[in-house]
Amino acid sequence: RARLGSTRVREELLLFIAVEATNLWTQFCKSYAIRSARGMTSLSGARWRSPTVGGLSSEEIRAHLVITHGNGRRRPSDPLNEPTWRKLDIVERCCTSLDVGNQGSIARAISYGSSFTSELPEVRNFAAHKCENTRLKLDRIAARRGYPSKADLSHVMLSPSSSGFGTVALE
């Protein structure tokens, strides 16, 4: 649908998708780290649970991770102090520090090579804050995909990624 709409409709739809997709990805990564610490079972039957914080509530684990991996030493309740959940290396560090045991799964996800996790926040930031700094970051993504500077946002978001896997920024 994004490819077929008028320029204005297409841009509005893609901006909404960029913001919401980033929010969902961030929430997934945060939930993954916290649920891993509390205890969960993979589809293959592997069980993960932190021996150090496994009995704590989700909120207590979140606060612990904010203090140890975020900027929340003074105010762990402030969401701006939380770790950068959308980054898989941060999720891996959180799980490693809690001795969860699922680091191999996260390492495999990081090694996949998709540029999705690094490009999506840049696209989202341009969508939410159109300024010179965010435009430059979007231009770098466009260049990796063969588009010139100041390329239309929809061209960047709907073109194959630079990862070589045929993904698009909002796939």
Side-chain angles (χ1 to χ4, degrees):
R1 177 175 172 198
R3 293 183 196 271
L4 302 175
S6 70
T7 302
R8 187 176 144 272
V9 169
R10 180 177 60 226
E11 291 289 317
E12 286 178 8
L13 177 61
L14 292 172
L15 294 176
F16 174 79
I17 291 170
V19 171
E20 290 303 310
T22 304
N23 292 342
L24 288 170
W25 175 249
T26 300
Q27 282 303 110
F28 167 77
C29 290
K30 177 181 176 178
S31 296
Y32 185 85
I34 293 170
R35 288 290 301 143
S36 293
R38 288 207 69 212
M40 74 190 214
T41 305
S42 73
L43 291 175
S44 65
R47 179 106 174 109
W48 301 317
R49 184 183 182 122
S50 170
T52 57
V53 297
L56 298 180
S57 71
S58 294
E59 181 54 32
E60 291 167 324
I61 293 169
R62 186 204 64 79
H64 171 76
L65 292 172
V66 168
I67 291 167
T68 58
H69 296 283
N71 298 317
R73 298 195 192 286
R74 294 192 181 132
R75 293 183 49 206
S77 60
D78 186 342
L80 295 176
N81 292 328
E82 293 202 11
T84 310
W85 297 113
R86 70 179 181 271
K87 295 184 176 181
L88 286 176
D89 61 318
I90 299 291
V91 174
E92 182 180 34
R93 255 186 260 144
C94 289
C95 290
T96 299
S97 73
L98 297 173
D99 194 26
V100 172
N102 62 345
Q103 296 88 342
S105 297
I106 300 169
R108 282 189 297 281
I110 291 171
S111 70
Y112 176 66
S114 174
S115 53
F116 162 80
T117 59
S118 63
E119 290 178 351
L120 183 60
E122 304 298 344
V123 171
R124 179 259 177 229
N125 288 343
F126 177 75
H129 314 285
K130 286 191 168 109
C131 65
E132 185 178 343
N133 184 39
T134 59
R135 181 73 230 190
L136 289 172
K137 291 177 182 178
L138 186 69
D139 285 346
R140 279 189 229 130
I141 295 170
R144 287 194 301 263
R145 293 174 182 223
Y147 286 99
S149 294
K150 310 295 183 224
D152 184 43
L153 178 64
S154 61
H155 286 112
V156 176
M157 291 174 64
L158 298 173
S159 66
S161 75
S162 54
S163 67
F165 288 97
T167 58
V168 295
L170 293 177
E171 194 169 58

